[in-house]
Every structure is written in C-alpha cells, then in structure tokens.
Amino acid sequence: MQRVKVELADRSYDILIGRDLLVELGARCRKLGLGSRCAIITDSNVARHYGKETQQSLESAGFQTTLITIPPGEKSKSLKYLGECYDAMARHRIERKSFVVALGGGVVGDLAGFVAASYLRGIPFVQIPTTLLAQVDSSVGGKTGINLKAGKNLVGAFYQPRLVLCDLATLDSLPEREFRAGLAEVIKYGIIYDAPFFRRLEQQMQSALDRDPAVLGKIVARCCSIKADVVSQDETEGGLRAILNFGHTIGHAIEATAGYGKYLHGEAISIGQVLAARLSQKVLGLQVAEVERIRALLDRAGLPTEARFSTNQKQKLMAAMKLDKKVSGGEIKFVLARRIGEVEFGQRVPEREVFSVLS
Ligand SMILES: NC(=O)c1ccc[n+]([C@@H]2O[C@H](COP(=O)([O-])OP(=O)(O)OC[C@H]3O[C@@H](n4cnc5c(N)ncnc54)[C@H](O)[C@@H]3O)[C@@H](O)[C@H]2O)c1
Ligand SMILES: [Zn+2]
C-alpha cells in the first residue's frame, strides 16, 4: 500500500492506494474517530459490485450503515438527487457526528461530497473512488458540487474528505472506455508537472492498459501526489491550481458543443490537450517534437486526438470558450506548456490563434 498526504494544516488527510483496501475501510474509519452511523452514497453500477463489501467492512467495525443508491451518470449530479440524499439521511437519523462514504466515480464523489459539506452545515466524509478518473483526480482536492440546468458544477463547495481510499481492485470491473478516459488525466499530470513521469508513461503505456497492478499502483500514487502538491499550495484556485486545467478550456468547449454524452470527459480533454499543445507551440515555443509526443501518447492510450470541425462548429467552440472568459474577466486564458513537465497558467491568447489551431 502507498500513502500520499494532502497537507492542509488541520484539514490534512491521507490518500491510501493499493489493492483490496475496501476490507479495511471500517477499521480505518474507527481510527479516524468517526461517529457510529454512516450513509454510503453510491450509484447502482457500483452498488452491484462493491455495495455489500463496503457495508460489511463498516458494520464489522461496529458502524451502522445505510446505503443510498442513485442512478449512474452525470444527470444524477443534480438538485433532485441532492434532495433525495438529504431526505434519506434525515430518515435514517444521520446526525452531526455521523459521516458520509462516497463510493463511486466522480459523479458520486462530487454529489456525496457536497451532501457532506452542506447537510447539518457539514459532516465528515470519506472518498472511495472507483474509476481511474476519480482515483487520480476528482476524489482529491476537495472540489464538490452539482450541476444546474444552466451549466456544470455551478453549485458547490470546497470541502475536504477525511480520507481517500483508492482500492485498485475496484478498477477491475471498470469498462475499458472509462479506464482509457481516466488515462487522459494521468497523461495530463506528466505534461503539467513531471517530465520523467511522462517518459515512464511512454515506456509503460501497454502495462497500464493491461492494468498491471504494480504499474497502476505507481501511476495512481504519482498522480495523487502531484494533485496533493498543487492543492496544498493553492486550495481554492487563486492561481497555481489552474494548471490542472491543461487541455480543459478547449476540452470543455468540445464537450458542451458536441452535446454532453458524445464524448466522455477524458476523451474531450484528450483532444483538448493536443490542441492546447499546438497552441503552446505557437505561443510559448513548445517544440514540434514534444507536441507529437503528447499526441502519440494519448493515441497509444486509445484516446481520440483529432476532431474535424466545420466553420460553424469552430464558431460554436469559440463562443463556448468565451463563456468561460466572462468568469475570468474579459479574455480567454489558457494553460500552455513551455515544455513537457512545465506549464504556465493565465496565458492570454488572441482569438485568431485559437481559431487557427482548431483547423
Ligand atoms: N471534483 C473534482 O475535482 C473533479 C475533477 C474531475 C472531474 N470531476 C467530475 O467527475 C465526474 C466524472 O467522473 P467519472 O468519470 O468517474 O464518471 P462516473 O462517476 O459517471 O463513472 C463512470 C461510469 O462508470 C461506472 N463505474 C464507476 N466505478 C465503476 C467500477 N469500479 N466498475 C464498474 N463501473 C463503474 C459508473 O456507474 C458510471 O456509469 C464529472 O461529473 C466531473 O465533473 C470532478
Ligand atoms: Zn478533467
């Protein structure tokens, strides 16, 4: 088992990474001194695989559990299911000293985290991420929230878990497409922070795709430690934390204009990262050979790296990116790479340059 610490003064917590950690969940919650009742929030896919095991682990350590199951998918990150979680928790007399266990991917983690942040003005919560994306990204760092009709993640809170338990064995049942989508975030960490890690990924991509336990464990641990490092320097995204958005400005626009559902998030940001690399070449002089290494690695991970956009689509993409612009005060800002392993955030790029890389 590997341990990564997220350093946030009195809100510091551990991320534990290894196989078959779920059986230890109850004992670990005991050690944290959590109260006697807990609500496990999960989705129906994950419940089918790991619901029983999670309940048993907690109950054998003396906790009373209640399982709250939501339908799988992004639509459940909504006011409707937020309300259903609150009601179920009140029915089961979840109180101040009780806690929430988020068992699932990023959808469950974001929703359950926000439930924990807001129910009774905040009760403790533990993350058990079961997708690769959730293990390397969404379960770490304390961003929680739900979507509104007007857009994604519009309501939420920064609220840190007490523990993150990445049981690599839960990834065995993850569909191939979801696994590959998670690799897009993995590759991102190499680009933004760690050139040797990027090189290791180039050497070990096949083993990663085969889900070799040793290789996968090291990959998840390295991603978590990079995210932990960034978050502990800038918890609420005043600056540095923005580097985690490499490939995301364009990627989010692709997700939004393609219609949510066509691309998984990781697939859209795979294309977004290739386009951000091309933009980096123009603006920061990223070498052509490095742009190609980025594209090639994403491609080897089985991710899309190209999309053809009609003029009409390009205009829609620009409009979607400019919607972001409003929130960041007047200009489209990008995270761009100087070289693999080193990026700059807050890069202002003229519209025509952006338009030209979309071609
Ligand atoms: N909070 C953050 O910092 C942050 C960061 C990145 C993404 N996110 C959010 O994460 C969400 C996406 O997360 P995701 O990609 O994990 O999607 P997800 O939670 O929808 O999970 C993907 C699918 O895999 C299924 N699944 C999950 N674990 C499984 C397992 N072990 N075996 C079999 N099936 C399993 C789920 O039921 C679902 O159908 C988005 O809502 C996004 O906004 C949040
Ligand atoms: Zn992402």
Side-chain angles (χ1 to χ4, degrees), residues 32-33 44 48 55 148 162 169-170 183 196 219 241 247 275-276 297:
L32 288 172
S44 53
R48 189 156 41 87
Q55 272 189 302
L148 298 181
R162 297 288 303 276
T170 61
L183 287 172
I219 287 176
R241 188 167 177 161
L275 296 174
L297 187 56

Side-chain angles (χ1 to χ4, degrees), residues 43-46 49-50 72-74 77 104-108 110 130-134 137-140 142-144 147 152-153 170-175 178 185 227 241 265:
D43 74 29
S44 53
N45 289 334
V46 180
H49 291 290
Y50 310 107
E74 188 70 30
K77 238 175 81 175
V107 164
V108 163
D110 281 12
T130 63
T131 64
L132 182 58
L133 178 131
D137 189 1
S138 62
S139 68
V140 178
K143 280 192 184 176
T144 70
N147 306 323
K152 274 194 62 155
N153 300 325
T170 61
L171 299 181
D172 293 352
S173 57
L174 192 65
E178 296 288 349
E185 304 284 359
K227 183 146 186 193
R241 188 167 177 161
H265 172 73

Side-chain angles (χ1 to χ4, degrees), residues 22-37:
L22 209 47
V23 286
E24 301 171 16
L25 172 68
R28 295 200 178 277
C29 290
R30 270 268 162 265
K31 269 198 196 148
L32 288 172
L34 299 172
S36 61
R37 280 172 198 272

Side-chain angles (χ1 to χ4, degrees), residues 38-291:
C38 76
I40 303 163
I41 301 180
T42 188
D43 74 29
S44 53
N45 289 334
V46 180
R48 189 156 41 87
H49 291 290
Y50 310 107
K52 274 246 161 60
E53 204 181 330
T54 305
Q55 272 189 302
Q56 272 164 8
S57 173
L58 287 159
E59 285 172 6
S60 62
F63 294 104
Q64 283 173 276
T65 68
T66 175
L67 196 68
I68 302 174
T69 306
I70 60 170
E74 188 70 30
K75 281 211 173 85
S76 295
K77 238 175 81 175
S78 64
L79 284 167
K80 174 171 184 251
Y81 288 100
L82 180 68
E84 293 201 1
C85 288
Y86 291 148
D87 288 340
M89 286 169 58
R91 261 198 318 276
H92 288 95
R93 293 184 290 118
I94 297 294
E95 38 156 61
R96 265 323 244 297
K97 288 196 173 146
S98 311
F99 61 103
V100 169
V101 173
L103 172 69
V107 164
V108 163
D110 281 12
L111 172 74
F114 188 60
V115 168
S118 51
Y119 183 78
L120 302 177
R121 300 196 183 86
I123 64 173
F125 91 112
V126 170
Q127 286 269 22
I128 305 178
T130 63
T131 64
L132 182 58
L133 178 131
Q135 295 194 350
V136 300
D137 189 1
S138 62
S139 68
V140 178
K143 280 192 184 176
T144 70
I146 58 163
N147 306 323
L148 298 181
K149 286 203 189 80
K152 274 194 62 155
N153 300 325
L154 289 181
V155 172
F158 285 101
Y159 194 66
Q160 301 293 342
R162 297 288 303 276
L163 172 72
V164 180
L165 204 104
C166 295
D167 185 338
L168 300 168
T170 61
L171 299 181
D172 293 352
S173 57
L174 192 65
E176 185 66 17
R177 189 176 169 199
E178 296 288 349
F179 184 82
R180 288 172 188 253
L183 287 172
E185 304 284 359
V186 168
I187 292 167
K188 178 192 78 179
Y189 287 110
I191 300 169
I192 64 171
Y193 216 74
D194 188 346
F197 177 60
F198 188 92
R199 206 167 309 120
R200 247 187 347 268
L201 290 172
E202 289 178 315
Q203 290 154 0
Q204 299 181 331
M205 186 47 75
Q206 194 51 51
S207 309
L209 286 167
D210 296 339
R211 308 189 198 184
D212 175 305
V215 169
L216 204 52
K218 284 199 183 123
I219 287 176
V220 172
R222 184 60 194 137
C223 294
C224 288
S225 74
I226 293 172
K227 183 146 186 193
D229 211 16
V230 171
V231 166
S232 60
Q233 291 174 63
D234 176 22
E235 186 181 4
T236 54
E237 200 159 332
L240 180 73
R241 188 167 177 161
I243 68 172
L244 297 168
N245 292 331
F246 180 76
H248 280 59
T249 303
I250 304 176
H252 283 154
I254 292 172
E255 275 181 291
T257 56
Y260 284 105
K262 180 174 192 296
Y263 290 112
L264 295 178
H265 172 73
E267 294 167 348
I269 67 143
S270 174
I271 300 167
Q273 288 186 87
V274 175
L275 296 174
R278 298 214 172 109
L279 204 53
S280 304
Q281 183 196 332
K282 283 175 180 277
V283 179
L284 289 183
L286 176 68
Q287 287 182 8
V288 183
E290 299 223 309
V291 178

